Amino acid sequence: MSAASPGRRASVAGAAVLLACLAALLLMPLGVDKFYVQLVTKMMIMAVFAMSLDLLIGFTGLVSFGHAAYFGVAGYVLAYAAPQYQAASLWVSLPLAMAVSAFLALVIGLFVLRTSGVYFIMVTLAFAQMLYFVFHDTKLAGGTDGVYIYARPDAALGEWAGGWKPFDLENFVHLYYVVLALLVLTWIVLRRVLDSPFGRVIAGIKVNEPRMRSLGYATFRYKLASFVIAGTLAGTAGYFAAAQFGYVNPDLLGWHLSGSAIMMVILGGMGTLGGAALGAFMMMLLELLFQGLTKHWQLLMGCSIVGVALLLPHGLLGTVAAWWGRRATTGDTERTDG
Amino acid sequence: MDERAPILRTEGLSKHFGGLAAVREVALTCRVGELHAVIGPNGAGKTTLINLLSGDLPPTSGRIAVAGNDVTGLPAHRISRLGVGRSYQKTNIFLPFTGFENCRLAAQSRLQPSMRFFAPAHAHAPTRAAAERALAMAGLEGRADVVAASLSHGEQRQLEIAMTLATAPRLLLLDEPLAGMGAEESAQIVALLKRLRADHAILLVEHDMDAVFAVADTLTVMVDGAVLATGAPDAIRANRAVQEAYLGSGEAENVSS
């Protein structure tokens, strides 16, 4: 196939915007207060979380309403892994948190992926709420109050490297850049996965799952793999969220956070990675803006979500991409890069 | 009888939907080199039969063997991987994807192992080649980059067949491939079926009697879910029961003309 030049132009423009965003994120800590560096750190963590959910909602067609479960459980893993008043090793606790959330997604996925449509939404919610109440109603980890994580994970390498510490997560600028690296890495990994044969299969499942089966694809396995990848990435985000906040509590796996993540994906545009990240940033900026205006900020938040749903049905990025696509008058709607 | 073992063999194949017997005790075979057409009035159970053979529906009773393996009750994806490709009467394609991507996705289903996470899908040359071959066979070579939703109805029907071919099946189950096609495309597909017959087993459900009698080696006539007659086209045309039940005097004239 000859690469259509309008499509090529659109992806060049997309790459330019992406690089500009990356440059802005790289330079930002040099010019602003600690408050804003920490705020953007939190936004980037939520962007990773939203992108992981977009793999399910936007790319596989699975609307999970329990995605906070993996986010929260990974946070609890960090809390458990840290000796009291001491730091856990990053290199042990992070892989552990990812493995636990992957395993959790595998087990939950084996059950919930037998359902579809609105039942899938309800069952994912049910599993997440079950876990919420496990942490909420038992003394496993502080009950409703949660537990503090007194020290952020320690990045010091082992004896073989002379205990060398490449960065210090207690330093807010270091934490910022580590989370930025995580954001970029997540984007690259997801982009590659989506362009791989696997990614084309889940795209086919989203459009027409019965036809994928008759073409010879064991669609359940693909959906399960997608569910596990998304859960693992959500866990990674949750781990860093717990590390940044310095505490975990049951709200980290509650339906409220699961719902927020869905709203981020919708706000930015389903099926575009950049859209999900943009949605996370926008949602938290709006939250901050409205909180400054009134204590009834959630009313304004709700109105703006309704407004986006009505006026921009493809989300912020989806609308821009569609507008660009119309301008370029290319027939290629097969994929919207983000 | 042909010495080659049939790729497809069914025995006593039945499907009941509640009290309705959609397919009753169907026994048929299909060999490589044979085009076996199934005809019958609307509601005779032809599409249900294909759905049973492809695994889209589980049979109520009876057996299906593909290349000697019992596949009764296997899910559709397992049957597909044994070399069975089907096309749908109602166009069943991926509308947001290009024609090429529809076929590439179909061809990709033959990769071993099939789950590949990292290398770009579009860089896999054998899959691309298989997709391009399938598009060309179905007469869509110039339309590869067009989004399927923008193809004409007839072109979507051709794409349906191209996707089936892209999975490199030995047994083709074609459910009214000519429905909704123009005369030119129909002739093209009939010519394609004649070529494919050499190294495929083809089970064809079709209402276009001119096409059926032009390409079929064997005909099975179904009425009310059961097989009324099976035989060579000439024998079927001369069969009194078939004439009464289905072809009718008018259509029989049509056929013999």
Side-chain angles (χ1 to χ4, degrees):
Chain A
M1 283 194 307
S2 62
S5 67
R8 178 54 54 103
R9 258 210 314 281
S11 57
V12 166
V17 171
L18 219 60
L19 284 176
C21 291
L22 182 61
L25 286 173
L26 274 170
L27 296 175
M28 207 221 50
L30 303 177
V32 299
D33 294 346
K34 182 177 179 182
F35 172 79
Y36 290 103
V37 175
Q38 288 177 329
L39 177 69
V40 177
T41 304
K42 193 178 164 194
M43 287 175 165
M44 291 192 296
I45 290 171
M46 296 317 281
V48 170
F49 184 40
M51 284 197 291
S52 76
L53 181 60
D54 200 20
L55 176 65
L56 294 180
I57 296 185
F59 294 100
T60 320
L62 296 168
V63 182
S64 169
F65 197 1
H67 208 48
Y70 317 101
F71 184 88
V73 162
Y76 272 94
V77 170
L78 173 60
Y80 276 119
Q84 200 160 16
Y85 308 121
Q86 286 177 45
S89 165
L90 174 71
W91 311 114
V92 174
S93 57
L94 177 58
L96 184 68
M98 290 172 74
V100 170
S101 37
F103 179 73
L104 187 65
L106 179 71
V107 173
I108 293 181
L110 279 172
F111 289 100
V112 298
L113 289 169
R114 293 177 196 284
T115 66
S116 60
V118 75
Y119 298 100
F120 181 81
I121 300 176
M122 298 318 292
V123 178
T124 48
L125 173 64
F127 270 98
Q129 286 305 95
M130 261 160 57
L131 279 166
Y132 170 84
F133 283 109
V134 166
F135 287 102
H136 188 271
D137 292 354
T138 66
K139 290 288 163 213
L140 277 175
T144 48
D145 296 334
V147 284
Y148 285 104
I149 299 164
Y150 290 97
R152 291 197 180 134
D154 182 2
L157 297 164
E159 288 300 314
W160 56 271
W164 180 56
K165 201 169 180 174
F167 49 81
D168 180 5
L169 293 182
E170 296 290 353
N171 179 319
F172 70 94
V173 176
H174 285 201
L175 179 63
Y176 176 91
Y177 282 112
V178 168
V179 170
L180 176 57
L182 173 71
L183 178 68
V184 172
L185 201 65
T186 305
W187 192 88
I188 292 171
V189 166
L190 284 176
R191 190 73 265 159
R192 291 216 55 163
V193 165
L194 290 169
D195 286 339
S196 74
F198 173 83
R200 304 309 306 157
V201 172
I202 57 173
I205 289 173
K206 186 189 174 205
V207 173
N208 189 346
E209 185 176 353
R211 185 56 158 147
M212 288 304 282
R213 278 199 289 265
S214 85
L215 288 177
Y217 291 104
T219 56
F220 182 84
R221 272 186 243 164
Y222 284 87
K223 290 194 290 184
L224 187 59
S226 180
F227 204 75
V228 170
I229 294 170
T232 311
L233 290 173
T236 313
Y239 173 93
F240 280 99
Q244 192 195 10
F245 305 163
Y247 65 86
V248 286
N249 66 27
D251 285 344
L252 289 183
L253 25 79
W255 68 269
H256 206 277
L257 186 60
S258 294
S260 292
I262 294 179
M263 283 195 268
M264 288 171 189
V265 171
I266 292 173
L267 195 62
M270 288 178 278
T272 58
L273 287 180
L278 181 68
F281 275 78
M282 286 307 297
M283 184 118 153
M284 294 181 65
L285 278 178
L286 285 178
E287 213 174 284
L288 201 69
L289 178 71
F290 294 150
Q291 273 171 343
L293 289 176
T294 164
K295 66 176 177 181
H296 304 297
W297 62 275
Q298 284 185 318
L299 195 64
L300 292 175
M301 195 74 201
C303 290
S304 46
I305 297 286
V306 171
V308 167
L310 287 176
L311 301 173
L312 308 172
H314 302 291
L316 294 169
L317 200 68
T319 305
V320 172
W323 172 79
W324 187 279
R326 264 201 307 281
R327 251 189 38 151
T329 59
T330 165
D332 190 332
T333 56
E334 173 204 320
R335 192 181 81 189
T336 333
D337 258 299
Chain B
M1 284 288 280
D2 199 311
E3 282 153 28
R4 284 168 299 178
I7 291 268
L8 174 70
R9 177 190 290 279
T10 74
E11 284 160 16
L13 193 62
S14 300
K15 179 69 184 178
H16 297 259
F17 296 108
L20 175 77
V23 171
R24 291 187 287 169
E25 300 283 322
V26 169
L28 54 78
T29 62
C30 195
R31 293 174 165 74
V32 168
E34 179 189 16
L35 194 150
H36 189 149
V38 177
I39 60 173
N42 285 325
K46 306 183 297 293
T47 293
T48 306
L49 175 66
I50 295 238
N51 282 335
L52 297 178
L53 298 177
S54 67
D56 285 37
L57 288 175
T60 308
S61 60
R63 309 219 71 78
I64 306 166
V66 171
N69 305 305
D70 188 350
V71 302
T72 317
L74 282 189
H77 68 92
R78 296 271 307 275
I79 292 181
S80 163
R81 293 186 81 85
L82 288 168
V84 180
R86 77 161 290 184
S87 74
Y88 287 81
Q89 178 187 9
K90 194 161 165 276
T91 304
N92 194 352
I93 57 181
F94 300 92
L95 291 171
F97 301 167
T98 61
F100 175 79
E101 179 62 13
N102 270 274
C103 290
R104 204 202 54 75
L105 203 51
Q108 185 190 306
S109 68
R110 303 300 118 168
L111 284 185
Q112 292 284 359
S114 61
M115 261 207 216
R116 302 181 182 200
F117 291 94
F118 245 63
H122 280 260
H124 196 262
T127 312
R128 292 184 64 97
E132 269 156 19
R133 219 163 35 238
L135 281 169
M137 283 172 97
L140 281 173
E141 53 275 78
R143 308 287 281 162
D145 293 340
V146 180
V147 173
S150 309
L151 292 173
S152 73
H153 180 69
E155 286 172 331
Q156 290 183 352
R157 300 295 305 151
Q158 287 167 271
L159 183 57
E160 176 81 40
I161 295 168
M163 284 167 69
T164 308
L165 294 176
T167 62
R170 282 179 299 168
L171 169 64
L172 282 161
L173 309 172
L174 303 177
D175 195 358
E176 295 198 34
L178 304 180
M181 270 189 200
E184 201 179 314
E185 290 84 18
S186 275
Q188 207 173 356
I189 296 301
V190 168
L192 172 65
L193 291 179
K194 285 179 177 167
R195 271 185 284 134
L196 288 173
R197 177 169 52 187
D199 47 5
H200 293 79
I202 305 176
L203 191 86
L204 172 72
V205 167
E206 186 52 59
H207 274 300
D208 181 340
M209 286 305 137
D210 292 335
V212 165
F213 280 93
V215 296
D217 302 297
T218 315
L219 272 173
T220 289
V221 183
M222 280 180 77
V223 174
D224 292 334
V227 172
L228 184 67
T230 295
D234 288 338
I236 293 294
R237 197 184 274 135
N239 186 310
R240 177 62 57 87
V242 171
Q243 284 174 2
E244 281 171 7
Y246 173 48
L247 291 174
S249 51
E251 272 194 84
E253 267 169 39
N254 223 345
V255 160
S256 49
S257 66

